[in-house]
Amino acid sequence: MMASNTQNNVEQQQPAQSQRIQIYPTTNPGVSPFWRDKYERDAKKYWDQFYRRHQDRFFKDRHYLDKEWDQYFSGSGRKVILEVGCGAGNAVFPLIATYPDVFVHACDFSPRAVNLVKAHKEFTQTRVSAFVCDLTTDDLSKQISPASVDVVTMIFVLSAVSPEKMPSVLQNIKKVLKPNGYVLFRDYAVGDLAQEDVVDMSEGMAVEMFGVPTTNDNEVINIELDCRNFKIKVLSKEYQHTCKSTGLMLWESARLMAAILARNPNIVAGKRVLELGCGCGGICSMVAVRTANTVVATDGDRKALELLTQNITSNLRPPFLTKLITKRLEWGNRDDIEAIKALNPEGFDLIIGTDVTYIPEAILPLFSTARDLMSSNRSGGRDEAPALILCHIFRRVDEPSLLSAASQFGFRLVDKWAKASAADQSQSLISSWFPEDSFKEHIPTSALNIMYFQID
């Protein structure tokens, strides 16, 4: 990330010769001069071929942007964003879904990519302006008013530009950036693992463009919850942008819900608990198992379940280890649902899902599956009746759409909580879970929401 008024004379410290360690092989010759010049000369043609072949199916939507850079997109007033190298809109549409007040200029030098953005079902000219632009030759200020952009996002863009042209690209961007604006930058670095993988596959055009990470490409996240430490192994950040599974990451909503359960064990105490789409972290299930009767952690991704098993084994000990069951569950899959019912024929008292509402096509199967697996016992008050808790950031599915889908399967919204309006909810059930000023470190973004459903 760079502020537009950052000084150019950044001091560079040279490491001592004795500290330099060669950790990568140097035998790979990289891209030959012939192919390097050809790819540079015909870049627009190759990217058009790429988008003709893959459409918008290759890169996953960048839902991590609010997690990493929320402070730059949120705040008072309308923010104007320039997404450079927008591709098919994998950053554009998560941004406008998460931040209702932003306007996004989206440019790419592939006409086919820009057409994909304009053809997207969520494209609207009141929120997005998409246009073709080669930043190395075209003047951005002819498309965007000078000094009008608050934030520029450049995600894996400069690495596709020849080094000698990079200064002109940045000068071009500077024309439209406000004096105190920001450039949010993410890319490969020489010698990092992601860049090494690109070089290793370059002569074959990377086959799947940037490759598939192996099971060894993980990092460990330390989480402290009420004096208990969890070490959660997840996919390394450098690979998350091309990984097709969101289950190999740990989302803010899971951290928040785990913190709530740790501080309020009565929510799950003595209950049969099911977690939907828990991913590789399973942090909510691992917290719940300490006071719950039974906990079943589920996901539809086999790789996420493999990593989940490792995380559970490394973080829990008997008797909690034996109380937590992991199971594959694809929502709407009758065989998977019946297998879960066989584990707990009476149904579950509490079902939890964190960041499981971002794919529109999955919402109806989500509520259908939750209804099939929820306990039919309706006795007890509001706090005791079976419930479904969803914690998430609204992205491509808004609240009215969720409520409509929920009602089709007999779910009624009993309570809801939003960080942005928490001060107005002091009497709600969910707000009682938040002791005053004790959860600030667990709520990194104002976009988090919690919804509490019960069966009519």
Side-chain angles (χ1 to χ4, degrees), residues 328-341:
R328 188 168 190 262
L329 174 58
E330 288 187 356
W331 305 335
N333 184 301
R334 294 312 309 175
D335 292 337
D336 290 352
I337 291 173
E338 292 303 321
I340 300 295
K341 285 185 174 181

Side-chain angles (χ1 to χ4, degrees), residues 5-300:
N5 56 357
T6 301
Q7 295 183 359
N8 294 325
N9 56 337
V10 179
E11 295 183 0
Q12 297 183 349
Q13 295 182 352
Q14 298 295 331
Q17 187 67 24
S18 60
Q19 294 177 323
R20 299 180 65 181
I21 301 174
Q22 180 65 40
I23 60 175
Y24 302 111
T26 57
T27 56
N28 191 293
V31 184
S32 66
F34 170 82
W35 285 108
R36 181 193 63 207
D37 295 338
K38 184 174 178 58
Y39 289 149
E40 175 71 19
R41 183 177 61 254
D42 300 329
K44 181 177 293 188
K45 181 186 75 173
Y46 283 120
W47 278 108
D48 263 346
Q49 290 176 350
F50 170 84
Y51 283 110
R52 182 176 65 248
R53 175 185 176 187
H54 295 288
Q55 298 293 307
D56 61 352
R57 299 183 298 270
F58 189 85
F59 297 112
K60 65 186 290 289
D61 284 348
R62 288 166 175 155
H63 292 298
Y64 60 80
L65 296 180
D66 56 274
K67 179 168 65 173
E68 301 288 351
W69 294 330
D70 174 71
Q71 67 269 36
Y72 302 103
F73 302 133
S74 58
S76 60
R78 192 182 201 196
K79 293 292 180 68
V80 176
I81 298 171
L82 168 60
E83 161 71 350
V84 177
C86 64
N90 299 95
V92 173
F93 296 107
L95 279 174
I96 66 171
T98 304
Y99 301 95
D101 294 326
V102 304
F103 181 88
V104 180
H105 295 286
C107 69
D108 199 288
F109 78 158
S110 166
R112 193 175 295 272
V114 172
N115 287 337
L116 286 172
V117 172
K118 292 181 177 180
H120 195 282
K121 62 182 180 179
E122 294 176 43
F123 175 82
T124 170
Q125 291 182 340
T126 61
R127 302 292 310 281
V128 180
S129 170
F131 57 95
V132 177
C133 181
D134 183 346
L135 289 178
T136 65
T137 58
D138 299 336
D139 188 351
L140 257 181
S141 61
K142 292 182 178 180
Q143 294 282 350
I144 304 173
S145 299
S148 64
V149 173
D150 297 289
V151 178
V152 177
T153 56
M154 300 183 68
I155 304 173
F156 299 99
V157 171
L158 275 185
S159 56
V161 178
S162 295
E164 64 271 18
K165 296 182 180 179
M166 290 180 183
S168 63
V169 169
L170 295 175
Q171 288 295 330
N172 204 358
I173 289 170
K174 185 179 180 181
K175 295 177 184 178
V176 300
L177 190 63
K178 290 181 179 179
N180 292 318
Y182 292 93
V183 174
L184 305 182
F185 171 82
R186 182 180 182 186
D187 219 314
Y188 304 106
V190 175
D192 70 13
L193 292 176
Q195 186 266 349
E196 288 290 322
D197 278 0
V198 173
V199 171
D200 286 345
M201 296 180 290
S202 57
E203 289 293 351
M205 272 303 286
V207 184
E208 279 292 321
M209 285 296 294
F210 308 128
V212 178
T214 68
T215 55
N216 293 325
D217 300 317
N218 300 318
E219 62 184 38
V220 175
I221 299 175
N222 289 304
I223 300 177
E224 290 284 346
L225 295 173
D226 279 6
C227 301
R228 291 197 295 270
N229 178 264
F230 294 89
K231 296 183 182 298
I232 307 299
K233 187 184 295 185
V234 300
L235 182 67
S236 297
K237 286 184 178 180
E238 61 193 305
Y239 292 113
Q240 290 179 5
H241 70 287
T242 53
C243 176
K244 296 180 180 179
S245 172
T246 56
L248 297 178
M249 311 165 202
L250 184 63
W251 299 93
E252 269 74 7
S253 55
R255 294 182 186 230
L256 173 59
M257 199 65 223
I260 289 173
L261 297 178
R263 189 64 61 89
N264 302 272
N266 58 297
I267 296 175
V268 297
K271 296 180 180 179
R272 295 159 296 186
V273 179
L274 172 69
E275 184 174 5
L276 299 175
C278 67
C280 68
I283 185 68
C284 293
S285 291
M286 285 193 277
V287 172
V289 77
R290 294 184 173 273
T291 56
N293 178 284
T294 301
V295 177
V296 179
T298 66
D299 201 277

